[in-house]
Amino acid sequence: MSLPARVAIVTGGARGIGAATARRLAADGRAVAVLDLAEADAQKTADAITADGGTAIGVGADVSDADQVAAAVDLVAERLGPPTILVNNAGVIRDNLLFRMTESDWDTVMGVHLRGAFLMSRAAQTHMTAEGWGRIVSLSSSSAQGNRGQANYSAAKAGLQGFTKTLAIELGKFGVTANAVAPGFIETDMTRATAERVGVDFEDFKKAAAESIPVRRPGRPEDVAATISFLTGEESGFVSGQVIYVAGGPLD
Ligand SMILES: NC(=O)c1ccc[n+]([C@@H]2O[C@H](COP(=O)([O-])OP(=O)(O)OC[C@H]3O[C@@H](n4cnc5c(N)ncnc54)[C@H](O)[C@@H]3O)[C@@H](O)[C@H]2O)c1
């Protein structure tokens, strides 16, 4: 069933979980801005959605840059209408054990995940509060609970949970909800890069991951997109400040 034609921005929407989410929200009937650092790839994802009968545009922007974020949100409002759905999905990894982690590894990860979600949410909430309706979903991770080699990433993903709860408290009275989705192991270029870094064939890496997942399979981008579809939907207005693990088993 098609939902109202609201406007959604999906950051990091060029590929992986972001692209699956952009496709899913477009199938839900939303007009989708696929925002990514990789502008050409964002445009390709948008073109594929349009070819399938959806409404989408590609937008190039770095979510950690305040001026680019402001310009991108303005552009979306101008071309599609006020963005009242925001999915903070853009992400990078710079894994290293603490003693080898550089300041640049730390700052890059904090910049994209935390500063990026802050800048995007601050820009988009102007439209949401004006409309009296909004949905913000930020991508946390099971790594928020700690993961070897990811001091930067786990700190950022845990930080996004606190960020989300605070947005829920501040924005609730404007009809805006904020939730976090925390995936476990999802098959994307990001996990492929991790397999490469540790020198394990990706198929073996997935098999090993599946053995420790109760549902015995790796997650797919579509698993995460389906959860985001619910949290950005019309019927989830009383669910706010939550962290939903999409990990094939219990985490808290
Ligand atoms: N894959 C997993 O197993 C997994 C698990 C938990 C959480 N996550 C999170 O889900 C999100 C998506 O992960 P994925 O696996 O699809 O990653 P991915 O690497 O496949 O895609 C990330 C996208 O973000 C974009 N991006 C990176 N920096 C950006 C910036 N500064 N501005 C705009 N766009 C930028 C990239 O260009 C890319 O298109 C990330 O936040 C990630 O941390 C992934």
Side-chain angles (χ1 to χ4, degrees):
M1 189 181 62
S2 213
L3 301 177
R6 302 187 192 273
V7 175
I9 300 178
V10 181
T11 73
R15 68 180 198 196
I17 293 169
T21 301
R23 286 194 296 271
R24 174 61 194 256
L25 298 191
D28 286 345
R30 316 306 200 171
V32 180
V34 180
L35 186 151
D36 206 289
L37 200 54
E39 188 170 359
D41 293 338
Q43 192 54 53
K44 270 188 219 154
T45 301
D47 289 345
I49 290 171
T50 309
D52 280 349
T55 303
I57 59 169
V59 180
D62 178 347
V63 294
S64 66
D65 182 301
D67 291 340
Q68 290 188 38
V69 164
V73 172
D74 283 352
L75 178 84
V76 173
E78 209 177 281
R79 290 190 53 193
L80 296 176
T84 53
I85 297 172
L86 170 66
V87 183
N88 287 313
N89 165 83
V92 287
I93 44 173
R94 294 289 184 273
D95 294 357
N96 248 326
L97 293 173
L98 180 63
F99 76 103
R100 278 200 219 109
M101 189 170 284
T102 65
E103 288 158 48
S104 152
D105 291 335
W106 180 269
D107 291 342
T108 299
V109 167
M110 292 301 154
V112 177
H113 296 270
L114 278 180
R115 185 179 158 83
F118 155 61
L119 293 173
M120 286 299 308
S121 302
R122 190 181 61 177
Q125 61 79 32
T126 311
H127 297 284
M128 298 179 189
T129 52
E131 297 294 312
W133 192 95
R135 299 280 186 264
I136 299 173
V137 177
S138 299
L139 271 288
S140 179
S141 167
S142 54
S143 295
Q145 301 186 346
N147 197 22
R148 189 179 165 79
Q150 293 197 313
N152 49 2
Y153 185 81
S154 61
K157 292 308 200 186
L160 281 169
Q161 298 189 6
F163 176 71
T164 292
K165 290 173 190 179
T166 300
L167 294 196
I169 292 165
E170 290 187 14
L171 298 175
K173 67 179 174 193
F174 301 104
V176 179
T177 66
N179 291 286
V181 168
F185 185 98
I186 310 293
E187 204 179 328
T188 69
D189 289 338
M190 187 177 273
T191 38
R192 187 180 292 276
T194 304
E196 262 167 39
R197 183 178 59 81
V198 297
V200 178
D201 173 74
F202 193 43
E203 290 309 311
D204 295 338
F205 195 61
K206 285 193 295 185
K207 227 179 267 167
E211 277 163 22
S212 66
I213 299 171
V215 303
R216 293 289 187 276
R217 68 166 175 87
R220 305 178 193 104
E222 289 71 20
D223 292 316
V224 184
T227 309
I228 295 172
S229 169
F230 166 69
L231 290 172
T232 58
E234 303 301 310
E235 294 180 320
S236 61
F238 209 55
V239 181
S240 196
Q242 299 303 303
V243 179
I244 314 272
Y245 283 89
V246 182
L251 289 168
D252 56 27

